Amino acid sequence: MLGLNKKDGTLLLIVIGLTLFAPFLLNPFPVESELAQFNAGYPDLMQRFVIFGIFAIGFNILFGLTGYLSFGHAAFLGAGSYAGVWMMKLLSMNVIPAIVAAVIVAGLFSVLIGYISLRRSGIYFSILTLAFAQMSFALAYSVLTPITGGETGLQLSLDDPRILTGGAEGGNLPVPSLFGLEMRDSFDLVLGSWLFTFNVGYYVCAIIMIAAFYLAIRIFRSPFGMMLRAVKSNQQRMSYTGLNSRPYTLAAFVISGMYAGLAGGLMVSMDPLAGAERMQWTASGEVVLMTILGGAGTLIGPVLGAGFIKYFENIFSKINDQILHGWFAFLPDGLENAMVALVHPFIGKGWHLTLGILFMLVVIFLPGGLVEGGQRVGRFAFRRRNKKAEGAEAEGAAKQPAE
Amino acid sequence: MDQIILQILNGLDKGSAYALIALGLTLIFGTLGVVNFAHGALFMLGAFCAVTVQRLLTLSHEVVDPERTDFLGNPLKVDVPYVMDIFGESTGAAIIDWSVPLAILFAIPVMILIGVVMERGLIKHFYKRPHADQILVTFGLAIVLQEIIKYFYGANPIQTPAPEAFRGSLDFGVWLGFEANQIIYPYWRLVYFLFAAIIIAGVFAFLQFTTFGMVVRAGMADRETVGLLGIDIDKRFTMMFGIAAAVAGLAGVMYGPINAPNYHMGMDFLVLSFVVVVVGGMGSLPGAVAAGFLLGILESFASMSAVIDLIPGINQIIIYLVAIVILLTRPRGLMGRKGVMED
């Protein structure tokens, strides 16, 4: 199917299924129930899942395949955001030009930074990308204020020209749309005590993410992808065989920069506001966290990691002591209070602590991320089932290359 | 002329902090070959050692003061710190006043302990793993340390004032024959610079003139051979990690009065310190110190209004710009040894 083998085809179908039915899957609890706070099926969060999914998929094409650890990828996301908002200010509120411009600007920007940074590898590459991103952040924050809006960020305003559609009619700011379909439009489906929200913006993002994911599969399986893997496993040997690795790494860098720009463009299409803090190195660190947590170098890992982090960022931080007391209510009073006190630092505002610990555990014990964890569990179950039937043969099957 | 001297002086204190952190980073990289992204967090922990000491010293109990009354006419309750009970009022007040310098005594053992525990408990398992893994795990550790501090001390900066005696400013210009009030320099920044100079000299002397330092230097040059000679080099390198942590911690303790400590100060300094290390040359101690002061001073020159008028925004990006130029033209850094991480 579409030039994919059976395994990849299934993976793609699973991802398509998951993203298209996400409004159902993420809202498993009835509205009135106590567990409703764990529902993640509201448009804002769902959009963030897929947008950061795209960002992480792109980052993974660089880091997962070539092993070049960029600590400045947020710069491209930021550049894409600014380009997107400018398109909305100058042309029209249609999201298509905004997204296209975001990808192109981020691509050009990453050609420039990649060309210079890729002259070094290893830690020097990380520092160079970090330095460029911090420079972009500092400039966007101060000198480039006429272009970037500085501290307040770049916003739409009523007197923007918007030459394709004319200025704003009435006194309201126009909203981003796709040929008349407003991004914020939602359709609520009530089924018994369940409520499912279908949001236009989410589906635009979801379809683009599926396309981006498909492209990533093709890149992973292409001869070009093999070359990138060769860079990771042994760059020296690659150059001894007469291959120049620079064009390949640069291409990977630009592709992943364009993915980041795409994510930035989508971000402003959902909410037309771009701020400089999107370029800060903590934002770059976040996408590194997502990719590693999910599993660098695997196809589905970054998407899982992005979803995981965004879900827990929003849901974990909502849990408070009262809810905890509810959970541990079955324990005797003293023990209940002790348990609440024990868990308290890790929830609510302490979510970053949980994330940090989790991230360290993953790097230490599961270098393959959540995907490797899942594989290990699967292998364990698989082996036990097969042991009875086939005995030693299961060993061979279990040693399939991790993907 | 006076402007130039002023900018050099202004650059010295920031440069001292960069140099101290970069020195620790280089020590760790040179001995253990580990890229430690948690080093900024160690700097931050040092600053919070000062906060802790200040809190311990000002632990108080309420005493009813019969001589004074509050606005309702009731006897006034006053908080009396325990140190005043123990040492008498004036000595106690002096001890509280000097809490930041006193925190040095507290920070040295604490930071060495933290460093050793960190190395034995975590970093040890990452020697054989790629540099990317080391960066990632120490980055995670930095987040964890920072969040722990945030949990206990809150997100707002906490003032740790310098002792009363150092709070004023020095009219430095008069010494050099300029008119009064031309070059004003706060005492504490001068103290910080001198302190940094002493620490740096101490570290170099320790490495140069003691047997322990000699073994460590030998281990940096050729770890395997030193091991074959029957010396337990791992134990010494662990100790060096502790010392590097203490250097970063002391830099943090003394930095408190210049900038009130907050939980993310480490991350802010970390990025710059890495740039400093790379500019100085990975694994070169004199390079790290020189680059630290150099970049600190360059940064303060770039924030002169005359320069900003010429190239707007230069003060924000000068350090990164220098780093990019150096990395591209001289990958070894200013004083890097040949063959150390040179690719």
Side-chain angles (χ1 to χ4, degrees):
Chain A
M1 185 191 76
L2 293 168
L4 302 177
N5 64 23
K6 204 172 155 212
K7 203 174 139 209
D8 292 337
T10 332
L11 187 65
L12 183 64
L13 282 179
I14 292 173
V15 170
I16 292 176
L18 284 179
T19 40
L20 292 187
F21 292 105
F24 291 110
L25 297 171
L26 293 173
N27 263 7
F29 307 112
V31 180
E32 299 296 326
S33 75
E34 244 186 59
L35 291 169
Q37 56 185 321
F38 296 111
N39 282 341
Y42 51 95
D44 232 27
L45 185 55
M46 288 198 298
Q47 288 165 4
R48 247 174 285 160
F49 283 158
V50 284
I51 290 173
F52 279 95
I54 293 172
F55 191 18
I57 292 172
F59 180 78
N60 189 40
I61 290 176
L62 180 70
F63 176 63
L65 288 180
T66 68
Y68 276 74
L69 177 57
S70 158
F71 251 97
H73 248 56
F76 308 125
L77 185 108
S81 302
Y82 286 128
V85 177
W86 270 112
M87 281 299 123
M88 289 184 189
K89 282 166 93 73
L90 297 176
L91 290 179
S92 77
M93 289 309 289
N94 198 321
V95 294
I96 302 276
I99 293 171
V100 171
V103 174
I104 291 173
V105 167
L108 292 176
F109 195 40
S110 57
V111 170
L112 180 75
I113 293 183
Y115 183 75
I116 302 172
S117 306
L118 284 165
R119 297 161 74 105
R120 299 274 162 264
S121 61
I123 170 110
Y124 294 116
F125 174 77
S126 302
I127 303 264
L128 273 173
T129 46
L130 184 61
F132 275 116
Q134 284 295 92
M135 259 169 67
S136 320
F137 166 68
L139 290 178
Y141 214 70
S142 59
V143 185
L144 296 178
T145 302
I147 305 175
T148 61
E151 272 177 60
T152 47
L154 189 63
Q155 298 167 333
L156 300 178
S157 67
L158 285 172
D159 51 358
D160 290 330
R162 272 186 275 282
I163 44 177
L164 291 185
T165 53
E169 61 271 17
N172 295 328
L173 279 176
V175 288
S177 62
L178 179 70
F179 303 113
L181 268 171
E182 286 187 7
M183 286 297 133
R184 61 180 182 189
D185 272 355
S186 293
F187 165 67
D188 287 342
L189 175 70
V190 182
L191 280 179
S193 54
W194 279 270
L195 172 74
F196 304 108
T197 312
F198 300 91
N199 174 261
V200 176
Y202 169 72
Y203 276 100
V204 170
C205 295
I207 289 165
I208 291 177
M209 192 197 86
I210 290 167
F213 187 70
Y214 172 69
L215 190 63
I217 300 183
R218 292 303 296 263
I219 290 174
F220 266 62
R221 300 287 176 252
S222 66
F224 170 69
M226 288 302 285
M227 283 298 178
L228 297 182
R229 275 169 220 256
V231 172
K232 184 178 186 176
S233 59
N234 196 332
Q235 196 167 3
Q236 206 166 22
R237 189 174 295 172
M238 191 179 163
S239 43
Y240 284 166
T241 47
L243 288 158
N244 185 3
S245 62
R246 189 80 59 77
Y248 292 103
T249 45
L250 182 61
F253 192 87
V254 174
I255 291 172
S256 78
M258 285 164 87
Y259 267 79
L262 177 64
L266 285 174
M267 229 179 247
V268 294
S269 302
M270 299 305 124
D271 178 17
L273 171 75
E277 70 285 343
R278 253 176 221 177
M279 299 175 124
Q280 214 174 357
W281 79 281
T282 41
S284 305
E286 198 182 12
V287 72
V288 177
L289 292 181
M290 286 172 182
T291 310
I292 308 284
L293 203 61
T298 63
L299 280 165
I300 191 76
V303 188
L304 283 183
F308 185 87
I309 288 187
K310 284 291 151 194
Y311 179 78
F312 282 99
E313 182 181 281
N314 281 271
I315 305 300
F316 239 66
S317 46
K318 267 189 225 154
I319 305 174
N320 55 26
D321 281 2
Q322 229 163 356
I323 299 172
L324 282 183
H325 277 289
W327 286 0
F328 295 116
F330 64 92
L331 293 169
D333 262 3
L335 210 56
E336 179 189 328
N337 289 337
M339 283 306 286
V340 171
L342 201 68
V343 182
H344 174 78
F346 300 100
I347 51 146
K349 283 184 182 149
W351 143 249
H352 279 280
L353 180 60
T354 321
L355 178 62
I357 292 174
L358 203 66
F359 179 70
M360 278 176 69
L361 290 177
V362 165
V363 176
I364 296 170
F365 297 111
L366 274 182
L370 293 176
V371 170
E372 193 192 322
Q375 276 172 344
R376 279 197 197 171
V377 172
R379 216 177 293 164
F380 184 68
F382 185 69
R383 192 182 296 167
R384 288 185 82 178
R385 206 178 51 210
N386 275 26
K387 233 171 205 167
K388 289 172 195 157
E390 297 170 54
E393 270 187 28
E395 280 296 321
K399 278 187 183 152
Q400 274 174 359
E403 192 51 71
Chain B
M1 186 63 201
D2 52 336
Q3 276 295 313
I4 292 173
I5 294 175
L6 185 64
Q7 294 310 329
I8 290 178
L9 286 174
N10 275 340
L12 279 183
D13 62 304
K14 236 187 179 163
S16 313
Y18 293 156
L20 283 176
I21 302 175
L23 181 69
L25 268 177
T26 310
L27 267 181
I28 292 174
F29 184 78
T31 51
L32 300 167
V34 170
V35 181
N36 182 17
F37 252 55
H39 210 68
L42 292 174
F43 175 74
M44 182 264 307
L45 285 182
F48 276 88
C49 278
V51 174
T52 312
V53 168
Q54 185 186 322
R55 295 229 165 137
L56 285 177
L57 290 179
T58 47
L59 270 183
S60 324
H61 58 107
E62 270 187 358
V63 169
V64 178
D65 189 339
E67 286 169 21
R68 288 190 286 168
T69 54
D70 62 8
F71 64 97
L72 288 174
N74 300 320
L76 190 70
K77 285 177 182 162
V78 215
D79 288 336
V80 178
Y82 285 107
V83 276
M84 286 200 188
D85 288 351
I86 301 168
F87 297 103
E89 202 154 313
S90 58
T91 324
I95 289 177
I96 292 173
D97 188 31
W98 282 76
S99 65
V100 170
L102 281 175
I104 293 174
L105 300 177
F106 173 74
I108 292 175
V110 169
M111 293 308 296
I112 289 182
L113 187 70
I114 290 176
V116 170
V117 168
M118 212 171 122
E119 201 273 337
R120 286 288 92 182
L122 180 70
I123 312 280
K124 188 178 81 173
H125 307 288
F126 276 79
Y127 293 153
K128 297 261 157 63
R129 310 247 308 241
H131 281 303
D133 278 6
Q134 298 170 355
I135 294 179
L136 293 170
V137 79
T138 46
F139 178 56
L141 181 67
I143 297 177
V144 170
L145 290 176
Q146 168 172 325
E147 291 300 318
I148 290 174
I149 289 295
K150 186 174 153 197
Y151 178 69
F152 284 107
Y153 292 90
N156 295 325
I158 300 165
Q159 301 290 338
T160 48
E164 191 73 51
F166 294 112
R167 259 175 232 171
S169 291
L170 175 71
D171 201 340
F172 201 75
V174 179
W175 290 12
L176 300 174
F178 292 104
E179 283 169 36
N181 292 329
Q182 287 278 351
I183 302 175
I184 302 279
Y185 198 61
Y187 283 119
W188 188 258
R189 294 186 176 217
L190 204 63
V191 171
Y192 193 78
F193 169 65
L194 292 176
F195 175 76
I198 291 169
I199 297 268
I200 291 167
V203 169
F204 276 98
F206 178 71
L207 285 176
Q208 208 66 40
F209 302 123
T210 63
T211 319
F212 188 100
M214 190 181 72
V215 173
V216 168
R217 276 186 296 132
M220 281 166 92
D222 189 343
R223 180 179 187 150
E224 212 171 326
T225 311
V226 176
L228 287 173
L229 289 173
I231 295 170
D232 188 353
I233 190 73
D234 285 1
K235 203 181 260 172
R236 302 201 172 166
F237 278 179
T238 306
M239 206 52 221
M240 283 318 287
F241 196 102
I243 290 172
V247 169
L250 291 180
V253 169
M254 297 293 275
Y255 204 71
I258 298 177
N259 247 341
N262 59 14
Y263 73 97
H264 56 75
M265 68 191 290
M267 286 289 186
D268 305 343
F269 266 92
L270 173 83
V271 176
L272 289 172
S273 316
F274 255 105
V275 171
V276 168
V277 171
V278 168
V279 168
M282 216 78 188
S284 155
L285 296 175
V289 174
F293 283 110
L294 188 73
L295 290 182
I297 291 169
L298 263 181
E299 195 184 15
S300 75
F301 268 121
S303 33
M304 278 166 72
S305 52
V307 180
I308 292 183
D309 288 344
L310 204 66
I311 319 167
I314 186 74
N315 57 330
Q316 309 264 6
I317 61 168
I318 178 81
I319 287 190
Y320 302 113
L321 217 54
V322 170
I324 289 165
V325 171
I326 295 256
L327 269 185
L328 293 178
T329 55
R330 204 183 144 79
R332 219 183 289 159
L334 289 178
M335 301 184 190
R337 272 184 293 152
K338 203 174 168 168
V340 178
M341 290 270 303
E342 196 180 333
D343 56 353

